[in-house]
Structure formats: structure tokens, C-alpha cells
């Protein structure tokens, strides 16, 4: 086993992307505008670090609806880095290619896959991904998969920060992962095609 796995560190990732109340305007596509990342130590049961990468969209703009949902504005994301540079940072500074990673649902994984293919950017993550929403649903024996805020309520945890802000959502998802791990309900990461 590689050292990243044996060191027990896991990256919890949450992205925010350009979005609209209805269909995207002609010629625009949903693109990642914020990557939130929290590093957790499963063995220690702790959130160890939190990071935020703002990403400048190339083929879309931040709508009023998106700003209301995420708090992110066009001038703010205009100061961000390119998507390709953000992926390079994930790999180089956050060991995304070595550490197992987690997201709430599969949206984040699929969005990275789509955007990497569209921009011909190397996929920054490895294939050991865990869908925390599915793990939580199974651990609690729920019929429907809850949203992150609802899962926090079920687990008796409080929402920290702003919901639909990548950095804060990754921090809260990390709390849920550690909660499941403490209960003995955290699964080994599954292998997914890159």
C-alpha cells in the first residue's frame, strides 16, 4: 500500500459551479468556480486543514441565481486561477493523485471528469473515491439520500459556515465522514475509472 493510504489522510472535496435558475444561456456550460478541500486524518478523527481554490470560468459567467446560491460573484471568480492550474494545484499541493478522496454524491467527480475532458486537462484525482452521501444513507438505513444539511441534522451536527460555499461544504462533509468513521460505518474507498 502506498504511504498516502497508510498515513490515513483523505481529501474531502466540494465544488461550486456556474448555474442558472433555468437552462444555461446559449453557448454557456456549467463550470467549476470554487473548489473546497478539507484534509482529514481518519485514524486521528480530525479535520486537519481546509483550503479554497477559486476558479475563473472560461465558457460561462456567474448568474444572479448562482450568486444568491453560493455567495460567489463574477468579480470574485475573475480573480481566480484557470481550471487547468487548479487541477495542477490539487495534484501538486494537495496530493489529489495519491490520497483517497470523498465528495457528497457523485456530482463533483462527474463535473471534474466532464470539465477535464472538455479542456484536455489531466484528471487530478486517483480512482479511490467514496460517495459520502451513499455511505451516510446506508449507515443510517435511510430510504432516500439526504442533502448535506439534512445529514448534519440527522447526525446531530451543526452546519458550520455558509451552505453552498465549497470551502464550508467540504468542512461540513468532513465532519460527517469523521462521524461515520467514529461509528465504524465508513467504507473503504471504491475504485472508479478516471
Amino acid at each position: 500500500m502506498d504511504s498516502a493510504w497508510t498515513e490515513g489522510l483523505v481529501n474531502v472535496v466540494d465544488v461550486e459551479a456556474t448555474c442558472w435558475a433555468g437552462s444555461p444561456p446559449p453557448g454557456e456550460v456549467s463550470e467549476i468556480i470554487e473548489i473546497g478541500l478539507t484534509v482529514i486524518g481518519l485514524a486521528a478523527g480530525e479535520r486537519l486543514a481546509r483550503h479554497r481554490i477559486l476558479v475563473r470560468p472560461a465558457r460561462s459567467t456567474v448568474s444572479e441565481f448562482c450568486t444568491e446560491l453560493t455567495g460567489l460573484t463574477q468579480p470574485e471568480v475573475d480573480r481566480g486561477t484557470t481550471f487547468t492550474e487548479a487541477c495542477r494545484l490539487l495534484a501538486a499541493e494537495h496530493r489529489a493523485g495519491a490520497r483517497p478522496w470523498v465528495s457528497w454524491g457523485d456530482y463533483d467527480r462527474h463535473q471534474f471528469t466532464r470539465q477535464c475532458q472538455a479542456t484536455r486537462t489531466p484528471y487530478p484525482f486517483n480512482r479511490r473515491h467514496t460517495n459520502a452521501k451513499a455511505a451516510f444513507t446506508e449507515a443510517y438505513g435511510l430510504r432516500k439520500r439526504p442533502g448535506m444539511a439534512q445529514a448534519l441534522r440527522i447526525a446531530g451536527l451543526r452546519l458550520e459556515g455558509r451552505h453552498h460555499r465549497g470551502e464550508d461544504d467540504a468542512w461540513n462533509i468532513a465532519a460527517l465522514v469523521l462521524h461515520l468513521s467514529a461509528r465504524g460505518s465508513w467504507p473503504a474507498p471504491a475504485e472508479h475509472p478516471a
Side-chain angles (χ1 to χ4, degrees):
M1 246 182 223
D2 67 52
S3 64
W5 179 247
T6 55
E7 72 186 359
L9 298 182
V10 176
N11 286 339
V12 178
V13 176
D14 185 79
V15 302
E16 301 304 327
T18 50
C19 54
W20 303 269
S23 298
E28 294 197 28
V29 296
S30 182
E31 297 175 279
I32 293 170
I33 52 176
E34 182 191 22
I35 302 166
L37 186 146
T38 296
V39 180
I40 58 173
L42 281 178
E46 292 181 302
R47 294 179 285 192
L48 303 172
R50 66 189 288 163
H51 306 279
R52 178 181 195 220
I53 303 170
L54 283 178
V55 183
R56 185 173 57 250
R59 300 183 303 153
S60 62
T61 55
V62 177
S63 68
E64 189 175 313
F65 171 82
C66 189
T67 296
E68 287 174 19
L69 183 67
T70 67
L72 297 165
T73 64
Q74 187 67 46
E76 186 177 10
V77 300
D78 281 344
R79 293 189 302 272
T81 189
T82 65
F83 176 73
T84 300
E85 176 61 13
C87 288
R88 191 198 67 71
L89 287 170
L90 286 170
E93 295 184 15
H94 303 293
R95 303 198 61 208
R99 289 182 187 150
W101 69 291
V102 173
S103 62
W104 191 259
D106 281 325
Y107 168 81
D108 305 78
R109 185 170 60 85
H110 292 312
Q111 180 65 31
F112 267 104
T113 300
R114 278 191 301 271
Q115 202 162 334
C116 283
Q117 287 172 346
T119 60
R120 297 193 169 136
T121 299
Y123 189 72
F125 300 103
N126 67 44
R127 292 192 282 222
R128 293 179 318 219
H129 173 265
T130 303
N131 176 336
K133 184 189 280 194
F136 186 91
T137 303
E138 186 173 322
Y140 275 87
L142 304 173
R143 287 195 319 262
K144 283 182 62 185
R145 291 184 175 181
M148 183 204 68
Q150 184 184 3
L152 288 166
R153 286 191 296 276
I154 291 168
L157 301 170
R158 68 180 183 84
L159 177 78
E160 296 179 60
R162 180 188 174 122
H163 192 19
H164 299 300
R165 178 57 70 99
E167 181 183 13
D168 292 337
D169 284 356
W171 187 254
N172 286 300
I173 295 164
L176 288 165
V177 171
L178 293 173
H179 170 78
L180 291 177
S181 181
R183 289 172 43 116
S185 303
W186 186 246
E191 296 270 337
H192 294 281

